[in-house]
């Protein structure tokens, strides 16, 4: 008897003659019996979710400006490099703080001035002190200064000689409109990083002119460095890197994994005997290669480390950043992965013969159902369109804050060229303010990406499972229809009856993944505010909860995969199909367990081979001059390769979103590989589950199993004895 209180013979396998009666659907007579739309409320929920996603993204497109992710604001609230500023700043994309004393004071703990309130303008490049005199950087020309922006740029931003006596006296008091260039500076991610090494020549000229005292403390360097390397600033640059490196993502995250996955499927079809060995060897070679690239960019080997400086700089000046620290951490992680990969390869070497037998079954199915190789291109194209929309919306959502004048409590004055006098009423600068609802919108956006990805992968898996089930239960009686009609018929059944069940399964996995994410977020925050968390008990509770949720997540993904198979076969709802699949596996675990596990390991290594090769090509492309200088310079290859007060809302969501990217969104290449490798994966799992049900309904003797599958299962015990020894 079958599970669930009654036989499934009328649904799968009991009446083969009924199956042959429907010429339009090979095996469809038994599979399509008593089928109706299941779990439809969750399909409505998924549709409502998509409406919310579109509304959420529309907010980002309406309010966001991706330029804010890369360039800073001047004292007027203009975005450097924007053509819509006042004045036109399309060529002026480097932010420079004019008053060194304000920069110094903003770094003092007792000071009321913050760096965003220090007067900053946008330049083409960072100015340097004169070798034999004193250079000035003057405010944007307006009012009595009759210069065009182009003339101002040509004069290296210096019109000190045109100033009236009042303007000169104001400038000597560090109130503008002109300010001395005393400290050298370098372009670090489009902001001029001061180097606390004042030019003695320039400083002497300034003092001779009667200028006020200028602080030369090291704090002037650290203040700007801390602002550039704040968590929110680093996260913005990481998100901006996605927009700058879109050709790399398109090639290495779309086209390349598509080609590699198809090649792998074809090799499984025609060269199955050697594929497990080839997969293991290539996997280890790629892990080593990617690790070496991380070492190079981290500066551990070679002479080509990542640099935070844009353009040329003094080779004796070493400026660090969070991006370099992240690369060091990634390099350590890849070293661990490399060691584990080598040890895993040794451990499974003796089981390769079993994997070969399992893959032969899949190769036989692919050879019969030809459309299976090309079908994954359909969900691939859907996901490609979705990701283009999603990444574009991500750039706008992360930059959707409002540019608002700061509410500062400082006493400062600066010369206003429009008013023609010193003005002490508008000292406050501008900042991009992020409200809490923007953080919620970003988190919802990430959750939507994960759910949608799981949904489309689930739909693809269900269609493949339905095609394989038709092949298994047809037993050759309608073989002339097998190659293509089974896939089309399975797609129709999934769209008409099972979309709600797939939506439910993908939602459950997404919720569990986000529970892990929320717990990890809470753990990180409590680590800084609760000293008890560092106790042995606190660490044990935290690690145990993460471990349990990880196990639940892995189990649910496995159950989901088998549930999709039973949904395709029986047309049951998600929970009923999960119970059927789990019961069949438990009853036959001793017979099929080792065969299935070793096959899954090889398939996992194959998916990692595709994603690692994509990562390797991404490293090579991002190492070109185009992405190492100028406006296309990326802050770090980490995110494109792996595809994280008033700033507090963005900073909080920044830590969470960055963690989400690290833990969930491995790489586009891996997702594409998952779509195509599901052909082999679902072929093996569907045939094994069908075999289990076949033996269940025929007193332990499968009547519909392909001969190759029977040979594989019968040889398992002998292979185990030969490979493991006495």
């Amino acid at each position: 008897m079958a599970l669930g209180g009654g036989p499934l013979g009328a649904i799968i396998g009991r009446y083969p003659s009924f199956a042959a009666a429907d010429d339009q659907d090979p095996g469809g007579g038994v599979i399509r019996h008593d089928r109706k739309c299941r779990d439809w409320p969750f399909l409505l929920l998924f549709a409502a979710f998509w409406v919310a996603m579109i509304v959420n993204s529309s907010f980002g497109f309406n309010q966001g400006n991706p330029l804010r992710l890369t360039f800073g604001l001047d004292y007027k609230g203009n975005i450097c490099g924007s053509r819509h500023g006042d004045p036109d700043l399309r060529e002026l994309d480097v932010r420079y703080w004019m008053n060194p004393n304000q920069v110094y004071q903003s770094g003092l703990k007792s000071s009321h001035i913050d760096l965003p309130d220090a007067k900053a303008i946008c330049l083409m490049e960072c100015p340097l002190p004169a070798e034999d005199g004193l250079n000035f950087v003057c405010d944007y020309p307006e009012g009595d200064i009759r210069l065009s922006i182009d003339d101002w740029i040509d004069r290296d931003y210096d019109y000190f000689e045109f100033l009236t006596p009042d303007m000169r006296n104001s400038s000597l008091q560090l109130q503008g409109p002109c300010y001395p260039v005393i400290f050298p500076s370098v372009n670090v991610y489009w902001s001029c990083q001061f180097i606390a090494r004042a030019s003695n020549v320039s400083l002497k000229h300034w003092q001779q002119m009667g200028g006020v005292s200028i602080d030369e403390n090291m704090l002037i360097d650290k203040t700007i460095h801390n602002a550039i390397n704040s968590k929110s600033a680093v996260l913005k640059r990481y998100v901006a890197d996605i927009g700058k490196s879109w050709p790399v993502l398109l090639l290495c995250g779309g086209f390349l994994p598509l080609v590699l996955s198809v090649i792998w499927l074809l090799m499984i079809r025609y060269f199955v005997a050697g594929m497990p060995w080839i997969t293991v060897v290539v996997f280890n070679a790629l892990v080593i290669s990617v690790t070496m690239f991380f070492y190079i960019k981290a500066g551990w080997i070679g002479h080509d480390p990542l640099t935070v400086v844009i353009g040329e700089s003094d080779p004796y000046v070493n400026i660090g950043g969070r991006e370099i620290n992240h690369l060091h951490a990634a390099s350590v992680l890849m070293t661990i992965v490399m060691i584990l990969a080598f040890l895993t390869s040794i451990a499974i070497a003796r089981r390769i013969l079993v994997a070969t037998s399992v893959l032969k079954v899949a190769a036989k199915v692919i050879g019969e159902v030809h459309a299976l190789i090309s079908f994954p291109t359909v969900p691939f194209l859907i996901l490609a369109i979705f990701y283009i929309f999603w990444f574009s919306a991500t750039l706008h959502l992360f930059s959707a804050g409002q540019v608002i004048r700061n509410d500062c409590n400082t006493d400062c004055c600066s010369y206003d060229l429009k008013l023609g006098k010193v003005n002490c009423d508008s000292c406050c600068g501008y900042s991009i303010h992020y409200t809490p609802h923007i953080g919620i919108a970003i988190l919802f956006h990430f959750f939507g990406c994960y759910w949608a990805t799981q949904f489309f992968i689930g739909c693809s898996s269900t269609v493949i499972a339905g095609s394989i089930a038709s092949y298994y239960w047809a037993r050759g009686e309608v073989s002339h229809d097998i190659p293509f009609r089974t896939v089309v018929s399975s797609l129709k059944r999934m769209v008409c009856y099972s979309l709600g069940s797939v939506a439910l399964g993908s939602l459950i996995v997404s919720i569990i993944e986000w529970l892990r994410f929320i717990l990890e977020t809470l753990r990180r925050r409590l680590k800084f505010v609760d000293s008890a968390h560092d106790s042995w008990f606190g660490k044990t509770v935290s690690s145990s909860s993460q471990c349990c949720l990880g196990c639940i997540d892995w189990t649910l993904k496995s159950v989901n995969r088998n549930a999709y198979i039973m949904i395709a076969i029986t047309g049951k709802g998600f929970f009923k199909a999960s119970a059927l699949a789990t019961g069949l596996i438990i009853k036959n675990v001793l017979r099929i367990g080792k065969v299935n596990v070793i096959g899954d390991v090889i398939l996992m290594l194959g998916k990692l081979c595709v994603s690692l090769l994509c990562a390797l090509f991404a490293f090579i492309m991002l190492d070109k001059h185009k992405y190492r200088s100028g406006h296309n310079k990326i802050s770090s290859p980490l995110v494109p390769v792996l595809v994280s007060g008033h700033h507090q809302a963005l900073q909080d969501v920044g830590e969470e979103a960055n963690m989400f990217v690290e833990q969930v969104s491995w790489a586009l290449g891996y997702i594409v590989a998952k779509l195509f490798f599901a052909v082999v994966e679902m072929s093996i799992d569907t045939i094994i589950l069908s075999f289990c049900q076949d033996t269940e309904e025929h007193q332990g003797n499968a009547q519909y199993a392909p001969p190759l599958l029977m040979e594989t299962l019968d040889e398992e015990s002998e292979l185990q004895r030969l490979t493991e020894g006495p």
Side-chain angles (χ1 to χ4, degrees):
M1 296 295 289
L3 298 171
L8 292 176
I11 301 177
I12 49 175
R14 181 64 64 88
Y15 304 111
S17 59
F18 187 47
D22 189 355
D23 291 336
Q24 299 301 316
D25 187 7
V30 292
I31 291 180
R32 216 171 56 189
H33 182 78
D34 194 29
R35 188 175 289 249
K36 62 181 180 180
C37 186
R38 305 284 186 178
D39 300 319
W40 59 267
F42 293 95
L43 180 58
L44 296 180
L45 178 63
F46 187 72
F49 151 78
W50 263 100
V51 173
M53 276 283 288
I54 293 173
V55 172
N56 189 57
S57 300
S58 299
F59 165 77
F61 286 122
N62 184 49
Q63 299 292 329
N65 184 349
L67 285 177
R68 298 173 185 168
L69 301 174
T70 302
F71 305 109
L73 301 177
D74 67 4
Y75 75 96
K76 293 185 174 184
N78 299 316
I79 303 173
C80 292
S82 173
R83 66 182 63 188
H84 303 297
D86 178 25
D88 186 346
L89 303 175
R90 71 183 69 190
E91 295 181 353
L92 306 170
D93 39 34
V94 183
R95 176 175 53 179
Y96 175 74
W97 285 275
M98 305 174 73
N99 189 335
N101 279 1
Q102 282 187 331
V103 174
Y104 168 75
Q105 292 167 8
S106 66
L108 297 173
K109 294 182 179 180
S110 58
S111 176
H112 296 291
I113 187 172
D114 295 324
L115 188 61
D117 297 320
K119 191 164 186 174
I121 62 172
C122 304
L123 309 177
M124 291 187 67
E125 57 187 14
C126 296
L128 296 174
E131 295 182 358
D132 55 358
L134 178 63
N135 291 337
F136 285 88
V137 170
C138 300
D139 200 353
Y140 304 125
E142 53 188 354
D144 293 335
I145 304 300
R146 309 296 183 181
L147 286 176
S148 67
I149 289 293
D150 290 336
D151 292 336
W152 174 64
I153 295 173
D154 291 339
R155 296 181 59 85
D156 290 331
Y157 326 108
D158 186 353
Y159 51 75
F160 185 82
E161 61 184 276
F162 299 144
L163 298 183
T164 63
D166 288 342
M167 292 181 183
R168 290 196 176 207
N169 182 62
S170 173
S171 297
L172 292 175
Q173 300 300 314
L174 286 181
Q175 295 179 347
C178 294
Y179 297 83
V181 180
I182 303 297
F183 298 95
S185 58
V186 294
N187 183 351
V188 177
Y189 299 130
W190 308 106
S191 291
C192 291
Q193 166 73 65
F194 282 2
I195 300 173
R197 191 177 61 198
S199 168
N200 293 328
V201 174
S202 298
L203 191 58
K204 183 177 180 180
H205 276 78
W206 172 254
Q207 293 169 346
Q208 290 175 349
M209 293 175 65
V212 299
S213 175
I214 292 179
D215 295 301
E216 302 179 54
N217 194 287
M218 190 71 179
L219 197 60
I220 195 174
D221 182 322
K222 293 181 178 179
T223 301
I224 297 178
H225 177 80
N226 292 337
I228 294 175
N229 285 280
S230 66
K231 292 180 179 179
S232 59
V234 172
L235 175 66
K236 288 186 198 177
R237 291 197 291 270
Y238 278 160
V239 176
D241 288 344
I242 297 175
K244 296 175 185 177
S245 60
W246 67 264
V248 177
L249 296 178
L250 205 60
L251 179 62
C252 299
F255 179 75
L256 184 59
L258 170 67
V259 173
L260 293 175
S261 298
V262 172
I263 291 175
W264 198 90
L265 288 180
L266 291 175
M267 292 185 70
I268 282 289
R269 171 68 183 91
Y270 296 105
F271 192 56
V272 65
M275 278 308 295
W277 294 105
I278 293 175
T279 301
V280 172
V281 172
V282 171
F283 171 69
N284 281 275
L286 288 172
V287 169
I288 294 173
S289 300
V290 172
T291 303
M292 292 302 105
F293 262 99
F294 271 106
Y295 284 2
I296 292 172
K297 304 316 292 183
W300 292 355
I301 60 175
H303 303 283
D304 189 26
L306 176 72
T307 175
V308 300
V309 177
I310 298 175
E312 297 182 357
S313 65
D314 189 337
Y316 296 101
V317 176
N318 183 24
I319 301 176
R322 284 182 181 266
E323 288 84 353
I324 296 177
N325 295 335
H326 292 167
L327 267 179
H328 290 166
S331 301
V332 172
L333 178 62
M334 283 305 301
T335 303
I336 297 173
V337 170
M338 180 174 63
I339 295 172
L340 292 177
F342 182 71
L343 295 177
T344 302
S345 301
I346 294 176
I348 68 172
R350 301 175 66 186
R351 305 290 299 173
I352 292 295
L353 292 176
V354 178
T356 302
S357 300
V358 174
L359 292 177
K360 283 181 180 179
V361 177
K364 175 67 174 177
V365 176
I366 295 173
E368 291 287 343
V369 190
H370 301 155
L372 284 177
I373 294 181
S374 58
F375 168 73
T377 56
V378 176
F380 166 79
L381 292 175
I382 295 174
L383 273 177
I385 295 172
F386 168 72
Y387 281 137
I388 291 173
F389 163 78
W390 187 85
F391 279 123
S392 178
T394 299
L395 292 174
H396 286 81
L397 277 173
F398 269 91
S399 59
Q402 293 182 325
V403 178
I404 300 176
R405 180 182 286 275
N406 300 327
D407 184 14
C408 62
N409 183 23
T410 59
D411 297 325
C412 64
C413 301
S414 63
Y415 198 94
D416 191 323
L417 288 172
K418 287 185 177 180
L419 297 178
K421 64 178 183 178
V422 175
N423 183 10
C424 299
D425 297 329
S426 58
C427 289
C428 300
Y430 287 81
S431 295
I432 303 175
H433 291 250
Y434 297 91
T435 57
H437 77 272
I438 295 179
I440 296 173
I442 292 174
L443 291 178
F444 177 81
H445 191 64
F446 273 88
F447 177 81
C449 176
Y450 191 77
W451 187 11
T453 300
Q454 292 298 318
F455 176 79
F456 290 124
I457 291 176
C459 289
S460 177
S461 299
T462 305
V463 173
I464 294 171
S467 305
I468 304 302
S470 297
Y471 164 81
Y472 182 94
W473 295 103
R475 199 169 58 175
E477 295 182 22
V478 284
S479 59
H480 60 284
D481 284 332
I482 285 289
F484 298 101
R485 287 189 181 179
T486 54
V487 176
V488 175
S489 298
S490 181
L491 178 61
K492 289 180 180 177
R493 291 194 299 271
M494 190 275 299
V495 172
C496 293
Y497 304 111
S498 303
L499 281 176
S501 299
V502 176
L504 173 56
S506 56
L507 176 61
I508 292 174
V509 171
S510 301
I511 290 175
I512 293 298
E513 193 66 50
W514 272 77
L515 285 177
R516 294 178 61 194
F517 160 70
I518 292 171
L519 284 179
E520 178 64 16
T521 302
L522 293 176
R523 184 189 68 81
R524 291 191 178 190
R525 292 191 177 181
L526 289 174
K527 184 177 181 180
F528 295 102
V529 300
D530 186 5
S531 59
H533 186 76
D534 291 329
S535 67
W536 177 87
F537 178 77
K539 291 181 179 179
T540 302
V541 171
S542 175
S543 301
S544 299
S545 61
Q546 281 294 312
C547 181
C548 290
L549 279 176
C551 293
I552 293 173
D553 181 55
W554 179 86
T555 303
L556 278 177
K557 287 181 179 178
S558 179
V559 170
N560 260 23
R561 190 172 69 186
N562 293 315
Y564 293 150
I565 294 172
M566 297 309 292
I567 288 170
I569 295 175
T570 68
K572 298 293 183 181
F574 176 80
F575 292 115
K576 180 67 174 179
S578 300
L580 291 172
T582 303
L584 287 173
I585 292 174
I586 291 175
K587 285 189 175 184
N588 297 271
V589 65
L590 295 179
R591 189 171 188 183
I592 67 173
K594 293 182 179 179
V595 175
N596 205 17
V597 168
I598 193 65
D600 285 346
V601 171
I602 295 299
L603 290 173
M604 173 60 74
L605 294 182
K607 286 182 277 190
L608 291 175
C609 282
V610 172
S611 59
L612 285 171
L613 193 56
C614 293
L616 191 61
F617 271 89
F619 258 126
I620 295 173
M621 291 185 66
L622 292 172
D623 204 40
K624 300 297 182 183
H625 178 73
K626 175 181 179 181
Y627 298 106
R628 299 177 62 179
S629 62
H631 291 86
N632 285 324
K633 176 179 172 63
I634 61 170
S635 63
S636 171
L638 197 57
V639 171
V641 167
L642 298 177
V643 177
S644 353
H646 50 270
H647 283 284
Q648 190 61 39
L650 180 65
Q651 180 171 321
D652 290 346
V653 75
E655 297 175 5
E656 296 162 359
N658 203 21
M659 182 173 61
F660 183 90
V661 171
E662 293 171 358
Q663 293 183 350
V664 182
S665 302
W666 282 59
L668 293 176
Y670 183 83
I671 295 174
V672 175
K674 189 176 180 67
L675 282 174
F676 282 85
F677 278 60
V679 172
V680 179
E681 200 169 22
M682 296 303 287
S683 296
I684 296 172
D685 290 348
T686 303
I687 286 183
I688 287 179
L689 272 181
S690 298
F691 169 81
C692 293
Q693 182 60 36
D694 197 1
T695 56
E696 178 79 8
E697 295 196 356
H698 296 93
Q699 292 74 46
N701 295 316
Q703 300 296 316
Y704 292 84
L708 186 58
L709 176 64
M710 295 302 300
E711 293 175 8
T712 299
L713 294 174
D714 291 340
E715 291 174 359
E716 161 59 12
S717 298
E718 180 64 20
L719 283 171
Q720 181 177 348
R721 186 183 66 81
L722 291 174
T723 56
E724 295 183 358

